[in-house]
Amino acid sequence: MKQSNSIVNIFGREIIHLSHVDSTNNFAATLISDQLCQNGTAILADSQSFGKGQRGNVWYSDPGKNLLVSFILKPDKLSVSKQHELTWITSICIVKTLGIFNIESQIKWPNDIFVGNKKIAGVLIENQLTGEYISNSIIGIGLNVNQVSFGEIDATSMQVELNKEISIEIFFNELCNQMNSHFGKIQKSEANLKSEYESLLYRRNELFSYEDENGNFEGKIIGVNKNGFLQIEVGKEIREYGIKEIRYCSK
Ligand code: BTN
């Protein structure tokens, strides 16, 4: 069947595998500025000395144990106002790939992947803009595959969940397959993408405690708005939050 979108089978077509790098996201940025990459190029590393996490955090990973990858995407006329769709689709693809391995996961808004109450993967998307459009997107994914101890951090891995070692390469190939089949939905079926993302949200429709700038409150996550803001129902009111505006409390 003829595919109508341009994002078809690009992910994983070109793979650069490094044994060590500061950050695969940084390496991707250098490739972009040197014009040395294709749309969909994947940079994999066994270890990073300065893995970048969200909100300026460092992403730690035992060498050789986990998936550390950055994909370069050159979107076709994707407005910066739609950048949350990249977050949605990436998170959905990770959940679907984990599902292939019989691991049920959810998305802790905006893009942490949780199994139960433990984080198994994180996503850091860094976009480069030309005017109002995203010219390059670096989609960085850190997924715990075979690491079994996380110190104080409440995290899990595929090996912890399944009690057996998992091939990082096989997981990566499945992730590329999912991304190749689903990224074409960006801009084309926003409503479906939004409802699929919402159906996978951690703590959705359950009463939990949260904290915003005014203090603690109880509410139910009901979804996201069309700009990607988190919606929490508090009594009869629906509150909307952007990144850094809300904190999940443990109970
Ligand atoms: C988070 O804080 O949850 C996001 C973590 C993202 C980590 C990945 S590991 C591969 C890629 N390279 C980086 O430097 N960061 C991302």
Side-chain angles (χ1 to χ4, degrees), residues 73 75 78-92 107 109-111 123 125 127 129 134 137 139 183 185-187 189-191 193-195 197-198 201 223-230 241-243:
L73 177 68
L78 180 65
S79 160
V80 66
S81 64
K82 301 276 177 206
Q83 59 183 321
H84 55 272
E85 290 192 22
L86 292 172
T87 301
W88 292 354
I89 193 80
T90 303
S91 310
I92 292 169
I107 303 162
W109 179 87
N111 55 10
V123 178
I125 299 181
N127 292 321
L129 309 182
I134 299 172
S137 182
I139 303 171
F183 261 70
K185 290 180 190 166
I186 282 183
Q187 287 181 295
S189 47
E190 188 180 1
L193 199 57
K194 179 173 164 325
S195 57
Y197 175 82
E198 289 176 321
L201 278 176
V224 285
N225 71 13
K226 64 179 177 37
N227 298 317
F229 283 53
L230 184 69
Y241 294 98
I243 287 160

Side-chain angles (χ1 to χ4, degrees), residues 21-26 43 45 48 50-61 67-70 111-113 119 121-126 138-143:
V21 70
D22 60 344
S23 151
T24 54
N25 271 31
N26 288 351
I43 298 104
Q48 300 180 124
F50 184 62
K52 297 196 299 189
Q54 295 157 22
R55 295 173 286 275
N57 292 328
V58 177
W59 183 258
Y60 295 102
S61 170
L67 177 67
L68 304 168
V69 62
S70 299
N111 55 10
D112 282 343
I113 310 301
K119 182 162 167 172
V123 178
L124 178 68
I125 299 181
E126 297 181 291
I138 299 170
I139 303 171
I141 300 171
L143 187 132

